[in-house]
Amino acid sequence: MMRHDLVGPLQYLSAEGEVLGQGKLAKELPECAADEALLVSAYRWMSLTRAFDQKAVALQRTGIIGTYPSSLGQEAISVACGMALADHDCFVPYYRDHGSFLVRGQLMEHLLLYWGGDERGSAYGPRDRSQLDMPVCVPIATQASHAVGIASAFKIQQKKQAVLCTLGDGASSKGDFLEALNLAGSWHLPVVFVINNNQWAISVPRHIQSGAPSLAQKANAAAIPNMQVDGNDFIALYEVLAEALQRARKGKGPMVVEAISYRLGDHTTADDASRYRDQEEVDNAWKNEPIKRLQKFIHQQGFWDKKAEGYMQDELQTQLAQAVQAYQQIAAEQPEAMFDHLYETWPASMDDQVVACGERYLRNRDGGVL
Amino acid sequence: MMRHDLVGPLQYLSAEGEVLGQGKLAKELPECAADEALLVSAYRWMSLTRAFDQKAVALQRTGIIGTYPSSLGQEAISVACGMALADHDCFVPYYRDHGSFLVRGQLMEHLLLYWGGDERGSAYGPRDRSQLDMPVCVPIATQASHAVGIASAFKIQQKKQAVLCTLGDGASSKGDFLEALNLAGSWHLPVVFVINNNQWAISVPRHIQSGAPSLAQKANAAAIPNMQVDGNDFIALYEVLAEALQRARKGKGPMVVEAISYRLGDHTTADDASRYRDQEEVDNAWKNEPIKRLQKFIHQQGFWDKKAEGYMQDELQTQLAQAVQAYQQIAAEQPEAMFDHLYETWPASMDDQVVACGERYLRNRDGGVL
Amino acid sequence: MKQDNELSKLNQSHNVTLVEAVNLALNRALLSDDTVVMLGEDIGKNGGVFRATDGLQKAFGFSRVMDTPLAETTIAGAAIGMAVAGLKPIAEIQFMGFIYATVEHMVCHAARMRNRTRGRLSCPMVLRAPFGGGIHAPEHHSESTEAMFAHIPGLRVVIPSSPARAYGLLLAAINNPDPVIFLEPKRLYRAQQYELIDDGKALPLDTCFTLREGHELTLISWGACIQECLVVSDALAAEVSIELIDVATVKPIDFATLASSIKKTGRCLIVHEAAKTCGIGAEIAAYVAEHLMPFCKAPVKRLTGFDTVMPYFRNEQHYMISQVDIADAVRKTLADSF
Amino acid sequence: MKQDNELSKLNQSHNVTLVEAVNLALNRALLSDDTVVMLGEDIGKNGGVFRATDGLQKAFGFSRVMDTPLAETTIAGAAIGMAVAGLKPIAEIQFMGFIYATVEHMVCHAARMRNRTRGRLSCPMVLRAPFGGGIHAPEHHSESTEAMFAHIPGLRVVIPSSPARAYGLLLAAINNPDPVIFLEPKRLYRAQQYELIDDGKALPLDTCFTLREGHELTLISWGACIQECLVVSDALAAEVSIELIDVATVKPIDFATLASSIKKTGRCLIVHEAAKTCGIGAEIAAYVAEHLMPFCKAPVKRLTGFDTVMPYFRNEQHYMISQVDIADAVRKTLADSF
Ligand SMILES: Cc1ncc(C[n+]2csc(CCOP(=O)(O)OP(=O)(O)O)c2C)c(N)n1
Ligand SMILES: Cc1ncc(C[n+]2csc(CCOP(=O)(O)OP(=O)(O)O)c2C)c(N)n1
Ligand SMILES: [Mg+2]
Ligand SMILES: [Mg+2]
């Protein structure tokens, strides 16, 4: 029952959490809107994601982790992606999907480990260890090529599993994504692409990325079904993504979803967005932020109250504190670890470099002397 | 008055050269269909292109040139591109545009020089030496990136000039083209892309290149106007390309034209198409070939007759014979020529390689002895 | 596994060219391992423009031997995804001149997936491409840029120079749990025929092959040039005792074998078709400068392609390295002895 | 030309960092030549993520300083088209780790356009990118793969190591009629300030810079490592007389200057951050092995990055080369004298 005829993004709730269109709830809203457990856990995950982002930014400021890209304002997208995925599906992220990682069961200390400059942050993967979720992908849009490769592996292996690949509005300009769409269409692959259109690619505004009114329509080039969704409306996102993944698993082919959102924070902790965008634009965007909207709705539905909110916030802070502590207790790897996973079958000719690495370490250990 | 509402490719003449739609000629056909001089010269150029292709294939068979890609059956496209271009426009070809090169005023001996393995084949350029038509481009689709670069230079220089870039159906799958479309749309560039959809990319059939019903619709990703045209109908092609280039020169932005054709010959002289496609398909395609169609039309219009045909064929053969002779009289470059145009400002450190090159030549000149 | 496959010529002996040996190895890999798949342009019905994949799609179907749209970036990137997902993809790039669009994926992902995830994920893929000049081909069809990939940590670069090594090294590359760039010297594709037993036996990677033993000069090469080196080694046998070594795996390089030979001969000539600057020859000569100078009885010599764009085929021979050039370089090296 | 441009600081002297020197050179080029244009990601309002282009779009407008969509292939390919069409484009790649998507265009077209057309067309473009490690950056933000481009005939690769050379060499690169890959050592972007006169004077390309004269050991490097080399040369002055050479143009290499120094000192240590195999250091060491062995009083030594993926920043320092490492290598080279 997805609305492909739609003009503009699919949206069920107003910024204030009111049901749009006023008709009888059952009529207006999709099933998932009545699923208390689902919405409450979505709300928890989104709240945890925001708390984690806040904490991570603070940790960067104090030098405890490195450059960090907050997902502030985009929690509904990453959490909806995580929740729509089945354990046995494959998640192919970019680098602003902290919420998805959390829902997929990755530990916060491991996310911090990655952003703290330690490869082991990508060593643990999702809850379902059998599943091969991909690690953070830094080279923009390259993950899209991997996603179609994994999807075609699933097809060849006759597994009823789907791939969900995320990317940004800027990434939608890069050939890797556009070629991947073409292959997904030509080979009819079980892959869903989710474009987090947060309006900015660092300092480059959406209108410079493309002359097209929507980014979803890039899929028209490959005749792939596509639609825009309000990226601040969890209910709309979950409905669309769950159905898109179901289609894919059933062999009905790929789909592209453009989630319209806004990057409420700087691009990363290394960025100063005030150089290139007006505070007014940001202030307006805050009115649409996704967490408040879902909170008001579950309040109205009687799924949530002040007390629950209080408990939850305390609980999140405890979890966070424990995660930070766990992260800080993880000692750095040995210097020679840089060789441990380079090749599975070790080339003897590189032994002397491992030795040289050890010597270099000892030589410099205590600052060293000239 | 271009028909963007069109379903299926724009076509005016039947395979038999009859006007489709039977109404009064003036009503049905575009102006250019009444332009005797235009149609006759188009017919001459298309005939010359076919004769040149036949000759080139023969020369390859006897080892006088190297691997050669015939444009058999696609003469209307390359000639329409050449004729729609103004002298001061820029032509950015791929490698199957012999007709365009001829119309642009390149000499046949120079085309043979290129396919004969001599860089000087690209040293002369079009009739209007002031114009910078690009040379043959072998790496598929890369020319599309250059085309948008040249188009944006024209825009920056405030020149009222347009760029016409050709590519194949296979090339339409490569990121370079898809990214270039996106830039053309975002920067509103004066560039027209012409996809010669000849149904095959060597042995890969059109349906594997893309799951989309048309290749023109790739432009929808960038919200660029686009249409399909019958690639065997010179009148339709000329009307569409002339108008598209005019739009571009006037600053009205880019356009994509998919010319539906068929590769009647092998991919190149190095290919054997019988390995992967049925002769029956080829035989059917012959029924739609563009030269016979235009010939019948200009006959009916009284623009052409048997006598003219006889004269022309003799004339073409003489021209060809002269060109082949001229080509064969061009001696090879000196061995050291491989360094002459590497850098404009010569690095002294490379002198010894020039010397070594000379020595290598002398050492091997007469077969050499061990 | 289709054991009844007509293509199966298991354990039989064949008189094959290098390209036929590649075809045999691919067939063997597809037969013996269901996770092996192939993707590339024109590899299906057409069997590849050089027929390296002839008959394979017919035998194993499109789901094992996949024709792709014309998009090298995706050929490499999708292969990485397939490899991560448990397949062993063999991706074909039609000519090395068209391999450059794969560089971002090979450098940023294929070479790093295992290291990035500390072994949780890996990338057991092979990227095949015909390379080198001398076949009278058009522009961009004669590249030898193996050194670009050899510079990249995490990659292996393997180059056969005979049907037997093509067969054995390709099987080794396919079985290797990490990414391998496998470059096939197209000039040798049909140069000679050799007896070969399709026994599925892989040859070792990361190892040089000593093709001739000698004690006066170590002649080091790989790929197509090996053929000229063999002729010269034999032709000059009366004059000079040459030890000919085929590097085969040009990254990582088996320096142990090279070093022991150079210690013995005291002279070293490196021959490669690729441009000189920062080629594999530079790395080998640098190794000698660092570790073997005391053993050197003559300057190290590199006989290589020039640092210029390979001329179109009309003048291509002025760029290529001939037997005469190699013989001359051998004699010069001897003459220049300290 | 906007002579009234507020940014114009012509002929004034400035105390600038390396990144400010880059900005001055870009501003000077845009001011003095209308055909100079810039394109790249975030180079406009944001002034580049390192502020190298700060203020330039404001001063010269979008048509001279263009923010592009996120597409490196097109940034390089469009720059080639602009260059052919009579402009002098300066394309910025945000980090060298993202330069790989430009390889096909730089290798197949930028490097060949003049040669391919026998001079009818040419490609006067500059591809700028910050490179190198040591700034505690995320994955892919610390690459040093200059050797990949140095291997390609037709390209120039230029690397400054001080504000003055950044200014003078960038102007030279922009004026050069052929393509130049200009790599900026980001670790030095804000390391020190130097007096610089914005006189529009270019420095020579294809030339090494001798930063210290000495007679016992030739220390060869480029980019960020030059700073450690300077410290070591001075600190060890009492112990050993070091001749320090900044290669600057790593392709083509000015071997004449290197050779005359090595002939004098008889010892040579090459320092670079990039991976060892087939790095620029290999080419220089190979040159010594071919031409200078008789002059060598000690083995050539390379002190380089390892042939492994640069560790994420937590362990990055174990990969980086320190003053201590350089001093140690200098002493080892002396100790290993024949
Ligand atoms: C290939 C590549 N080019 C450039 C960069 C540098 N870079 C990192 S993030 C970014 C902007 C990405 O914007 P978008 O795709 O919209 O994602 P967002 O960060 O807004 O979520 C850029 C240019 C990169 N990481 N990879
Ligand atoms: C980047 C690249 N990849 C592969 C090739 C080899 N190749 C040459 S032509 C061709 C098919 C092109 O088909 P299409 O774009 O439809 O043009 P056509 O030849 O049919 O006119 C291929 C794969 C190439 N030249 N460049
Ligand atoms: Mg964005
Ligand atoms: Mg075609």
Side-chain angles (χ1 to χ4, degrees), chain A residues 369-370, chain D residues 236 239 324 326-336:
Chain A
V369 280
L370 282 192
Chain D
L236 271 56
E239 211 175 311
V324 181
I326 297 169
D328 176 73
V330 167
R331 295 193 175 105
K332 281 217 177 76
T333 304
L334 289 167
D336 294 349

Side-chain angles (χ1 to χ4, degrees), chain D residues 291-327:
Chain D
H291 304 289
L292 303 176
M293 261 200 212
F295 301 91
C296 287
K297 300 177 188 151
V300 173
K301 194 160 182 53
R302 284 185 290 172
L303 177 61
T304 72
F306 301 115
D307 285 309
T308 188
V309 180
M310 164 157 316
Y312 292 1
F313 59 80
R314 192 177 187 185
N315 273 3
E316 183 182 31
Q317 78 273 14
H318 303 313
Y319 181 100
M320 300 296 287
I321 295 162
S322 71
Q323 298 171 8
V324 181
D325 300 320
I326 297 169

Side-chain angles (χ1 to χ4, degrees), chain D residues 54-70:
Chain D
D54 197 13
L56 299 177
Q57 188 179 68
K58 187 154 186 282
F60 298 96
F62 190 97
S63 70
R64 301 282 307 279
V65 181
M66 299 166 263
D67 288 301
T68 63
L70 207 166

Side-chain angles (χ1 to χ4, degrees), chain A residues 114-119 170 201-203 209 275-276 330 332-333 338 342 350 353 357 360 363-364 370, chain D residues 42 46 51 54 69-70 72 94 139 235 304 306-308 311-315 318-319 322 324-325 328 331:
Chain A
Y114 177 84
W115 297 106
D118 187 322
E119 287 80 355
I202 305 185
S203 72
Q209 289 301 335
R275 288 177 61 87
Y276 52 79
I330 302 172
E333 292 181 301
M338 70 175 82
L342 189 63
M350 282 188 65
Q353 293 201 21
C357 175
R360 191 176 290 186
R363 195 184 301 129
N364 291 278
L370 282 192
Chain D
D42 303 292
N46 199 33
R51 310 295 174 248
D54 197 13
L70 207 166
E72 282 76 13
Q94 201 160 78
E139 195 180 4
T304 72
F306 301 115
D307 285 309
T308 188
Y312 292 1
F313 59 80
R314 192 177 187 185
N315 273 3
H318 303 313
Y319 181 100
S322 71
V324 181
D325 300 320
D328 176 73
R331 295 193 175 105

Side-chain angles (χ1 to χ4, degrees), chain A residues 5 26 48-49 65 76 83 94 131 141 145 196-197 205 219 256 293:
Chain A
D5 55 339
L48 177 60
T49 303
I65 65 170
M83 292 181 72
Y94 71 122
Q131 197 32 273
S145 320
N196 171 359
N197 175 3
V256 172
R293 186 184 301 193

